[in-house]
Amino acid sequence: MTAPLFLLAPGALDGVGPGAEVVLTGAEARHAGASMRLETGEAVLVADGAGARARGTVVSAAADEVRVRVEESTPEPAPAPRLVLVQALSKGDRDLMAVQAATELGVDAVVPWEAERSIVRWKGAKADRAHRKWEDTVRAAAKQARRGRVPEVRAAVSGARVAELARTPAHDGGARLVLVLHEAAEQGLSAVSEAELAGASEVLLVVGPEGGVSEAELAAAVDAGARPVLLGPHVLRASTAGPAALAVLQHRLGRW
C-alpha cells in the first residue's frame, strides 16, 4: 500500500534535503500519531500543498508531535494548463461530492457557483462556513490521493456573473478556455482541439446545478467567449458531470 501523506505548512520543505527532519504538529500529528498510530520506522509522504513533496521515515511519534526524517525529495511540478472546476452549489452535498472526486482526479482549482437554479444558497456567515467546508473537503481528498498540490478553492461567483470568468485572464495572466457542460450543446467535449487545450493557461469546466444552467447564464457565458460542450449522450448528475469531464481532459492532455 502507498505510504500515507501528511501536509505541512507552505514552504516547510524549502531547502530540506535527505537526512533532514520535519515535524508534524496539530491536526496532522494527531492523525498520524493518535489515529493511525504510526510507529518508528514506518514510511510516510509529506508535502507542503504547493508542490514540494518528500518521502521519509518516522523517527518518533506521539499524539502531539511526529518527527519524520526525509529520505528523498519528489517535487510535483505545476501542471499546464491548469484544470479548474466551476461547480454549481447543489443540494444533498452533491457539490461537495463533485469537489472531492475532482480533487482525486487532479483538478487544480475549484470555484463555487451560486447559479440561478441552485437550491443551496450561501449567505453571510453561512457562506464563510461553507467555503471552509469546501477547503476541508479538498484538503482531505488531496491527502487521500497522495497529491503534493492542494487545489485552490477560489471565491464564489453567482448567477450570470460566471461569464466574468471567461472575460478575465487566468491568475498567471494567460488565456482561459471556458467550457460549459450543457445537454443542448452541438459539439462534444472531444471536439475541443489539442491546440486549444495547449494554448490555454487554464481550462475551466462549468457545471450547473440539478435544474441546469439557465438560458440567461448560458447566453452571458457564450457572449463572453465561453463554449458550450456536450459530455456524452446521457444527462449526468451535478456530482458526476465535472469529474467525468476532468477524466476526459486528463486523458486528452496525456496525463493519464
Side-chain angles (χ1 to χ4, degrees), residues 21-148:
E21 290 187 6
V22 294
V23 181
L24 302 177
T25 58
E28 292 297 89
R30 290 191 293 274
H31 183 201
S35 299
M36 298 191 67
R37 299 183 180 180
L38 292 182
E39 299 179 352
T40 300
E42 290 195 63
V44 296
L45 300 171
V46 291
D48 70 352
R53 191 168 178 270
R55 178 175 57 83
T57 303
V58 175
V59 175
S60 63
D64 60 346
E65 181 182 281
V66 176
R67 303 188 72 86
V68 176
R69 179 179 295 112
V70 172
E71 295 179 354
E72 180 185 13
S73 294
T74 56
E76 189 173 309
R82 288 166 55 86
L83 300 179
V84 181
L85 175 62
V86 182
Q87 177 66 47
L89 306 185
S90 302
K91 64 180 181 179
D93 281 345
R94 290 197 179 103
D95 48 6
L96 286 174
M97 293 167 62
V99 167
Q100 176 181 324
T103 300
E104 294 176 9
L105 292 169
V107 78
D108 300 299
V110 295
V111 180
W113 176 31
E114 188 177 285
E116 290 182 11
R117 295 174 179 169
S118 289
I119 296 174
V120 176
R121 298 289 170 179
W122 285 9
K123 302 296 181 185
K126 179 182 178 181
D128 294 334
R129 291 194 301 270
H131 195 273
R132 286 195 297 271
K133 191 172 183 179
W134 277 46
E135 291 177 328
D136 292 342
T137 298
V138 162
R139 183 180 176 90
K143 290 176 61 177
Q144 172 65 34
R146 314 301 198 263
R147 292 188 59 176

Side-chain angles (χ1 to χ4, degrees), residues 11 13 16 43 48 69 77 104-105 127 157 160 208-209 223 230 249 254:
L13 288 173
V16 175
D48 70 352
R69 179 179 295 112
E104 294 176 9
L105 292 169
V157 295
D223 287 345
L230 183 66
L249 289 182

